[in-house]
Amino acid sequence: MTGDDYLDVLNHARANGYAIPAVNCTMSPIINACLEAAKKANAPMIIQFSNGGGAYMAGKGLKNEADQKAAVMGCVAGALHVRALAEFYGVPVILHTDHCSKALLPWFDGLLEANEEYFAKHGEPLFSSHMLDLSEESIEENMEISAKYLKRMAAINCFLEVEIGITGGEEDGVDNSDVAPEDLYSKPEEIYQVYEALQPIAPDFYSIAAAFGNVHGVYSPGNVKLTPKILANAQKFVKEKTGGDSDKPVYFVFHGGSGSSREEIREAVGYGVIKMNIDTDTQWSFWDGVKNDEAKNNAYLQGQIGNPEGAEKPNKKYYDPRAWIRSAEQATCDRLLAAYEDLNATNALR
Ligand SMILES: [Zn+2]
């Protein structure tokens, strides 16, 4: 889903009080587990690639040089896989890419070139949206660069996600595990600054990953406290400043949701979160599926021939990747069905 169709999905989510899971995918089994979960849950799905995920999709035998070509090509390959299958699964799928810092802008430029090429042929971009994460720069520079890119993206109906403030923890090589706690909470004024910078360029064609005590990854509880109320206060502030009708003038994105309770997630959704990223929890579910498969079939996985049923018995059906990777897919699908519940999105398309 791209352009206005994508906005329709987001507005359906906001109006009906649910959010869409956005899953970091690094290989086709994870993509297919996402599509399977979306079909079972009868709900939309956001499939996203990180820079490292894209490079992995392209194959680790290729070096991802400074031009980021391998990461670009891997993301394009993943997107084409999704496009070939999504309609067949019969669920709305949104294609997105994750965090892009200033150093990775060549990756972003490459993705936009792929979108522009696709748009010229098909009248829509290859990806529904992309994230630009310049939260390590000043908010002025963040907005200046984001506005420039949004202008280019709006011309091909591509949506932009930006980040302000700092998401704690560590993900894909960005380590924020030692920042000062006060920097982990966005101020309403900062969120309004984003609105002021981007709304005139492409109304409602952007979302904001704000900091409300969210942390990438799963950690034992520290001194950072998830505070969804920050999002409610920001919505109120923007509404007052603009004098608009909507109680939720901003689309919020929830990064670092792993380990949050259903209650906390639903509170954030109530304040206008329309997308929640999932990475760590599906990395675990995928591994957990393999782990349990190996434990169950251990005696059949020690050699190509020979198991408790006989020294001559073949083990092909146990070590075939389709067997144990299928267990990983099923465990991941189950984890995503729980995420749909957390996000109040089960059966969202009924
Ligand atoms: Zn993130």
Side-chain angles (χ1 to χ4, degrees):
M1 313 293 283
T2 61
D4 288 340
D5 293 339
Y6 176 36
L7 277 195
D8 285 347
V9 175
L10 291 187
N11 291 332
H12 186 262
R14 189 161 61 177
N16 291 282
Y18 69 91
I20 308 165
V23 184
N24 279 57
C25 291
T26 51
M27 57 187 77
S28 64
I30 300 179
I31 293 174
N32 292 349
C34 290
L35 296 173
E36 183 178 351
K39 189 178 171 67
K40 279 190 175 142
N42 191 29
M45 168 60 73
I46 300 174
I47 287 176
Q48 64 186 18
F49 305 104
S50 68
N51 177 267
Y56 191 88
M57 285 288 306
K60 291 301 273 182
L62 290 173
K63 192 168 184 299
N64 190 29
E65 308 279 358
D67 63 4
Q68 298 295 327
K69 201 71 190 158
V72 172
M73 292 317 296
C75 292
V76 167
L80 293 173
H81 174 97
V82 172
R83 278 189 170 273
L85 291 173
E87 208 168 330
F88 191 51
Y89 276 83
V91 283
V93 181
I94 291 105
L95 276 164
H96 179 74
T97 57
D98 205 6
H99 297 269
C100 176
S101 64
K102 201 173 174 183
L104 291 180
L105 285 176
W107 175 49
F108 206 84
D109 288 322
L111 290 167
L112 290 194
E113 279 162 31
N115 281 320
E116 285 158 353
E117 216 174 282
Y118 198 90
F119 186 87
K121 282 188 203 141
H122 306 279
E124 64 170 334
L126 178 58
F127 286 86
S128 321
S129 68
H130 297 285
M131 180 188 197
L132 203 50
D133 177 3
L134 303 169
S135 57
E136 286 178 298
E137 318 307 321
S138 70
I139 191 156
E140 288 75 22
E141 188 181 1
N142 183 344
M143 286 305 107
E144 192 190 314
I145 300 174
S146 297
K148 192 187 83 187
Y149 275 108
L150 180 57
K151 206 169 174 185
R152 179 173 168 192
M153 293 167 78
I156 52 166
N157 294 329
C158 202
F159 186 101
L160 176 67
E161 177 182 326
V162 297
E163 174 156 333
I164 55 164
I166 295 166
T167 304
E170 195 263 331
E171 184 183 66
D172 217 22
V174 178
D175 188 351
N176 287 329
S177 49
D178 56 357
V179 297
E182 65 269 22
D183 293 335
L184 298 171
Y185 305 101
S186 296
K187 293 170 192 66
E189 292 82 0
E190 293 168 333
I191 289 158
Y192 180 60
Q193 254 179 295
V194 178
Y195 182 94
E196 267 191 311
L198 302 183
Q199 184 73 5
I201 294 172
D204 300 332
F205 239 63
Y206 60 92
S207 58
I208 306 173
F212 57 106
N214 36 341
V215 177
H216 281 135
V218 175
Y219 299 88
S220 47
N223 51 3
V224 186
K225 177 136 181 37
L226 192 76
T227 316
K229 203 89 198 149
I230 283 177
L231 305 178
N233 294 339
Q235 295 283 25
K236 201 165 154 254
F237 187 86
V238 174
K239 187 185 173 173
E240 280 166 12
K241 278 281 188 187
T242 59
D245 297 332
S246 174
D247 286 333
K248 296 174 199 164
V250 176
Y251 296 123
F252 281 122
V253 178
F254 190 165
H255 283 245
S258 298
S260 302
S261 69
R262 179 165 293 174
E263 196 185 7
E264 289 169 323
I265 293 169
R266 289 197 175 181
E267 186 188 355
V269 170
Y271 302 146
V273 164
I274 41 74
K275 167 180 183 270
M276 185 175 87
N277 287 8
I278 302 175
D279 187 11
T280 314
D281 286 339
T282 40
Q283 286 177 337
W284 173 256
S285 65
F286 200 84
W287 164 244
D288 200 39
V290 175
K291 182 165 73 80
N292 292 334
D293 187 280
E294 198 279 335
K296 189 174 144 214
N297 299 314
N298 178 276
Y300 297 81
L301 289 165
Q302 303 311 311
Q304 284 188 282
I305 294 168
N307 61 46
E309 289 161 44
E312 308 287 294
K313 295 280 185 194
N315 292 321
K316 186 172 157 52
K317 69 175 178 182
Y318 297 98
Y319 63 76
D320 183 333
R322 288 172 294 180
W324 52 276
I325 291 182
R326 179 62 190 146
S327 298
E329 291 170 355
Q330 280 168 325
T332 300
C333 181
D334 288 346
R335 180 63 189 82
L336 290 172
L337 293 177
Y340 275 116
E341 268 307 296
D342 291 343
L343 294 165
N344 198 29
T346 305
N347 223 6
L349 299 172
R350 71 182 169 274

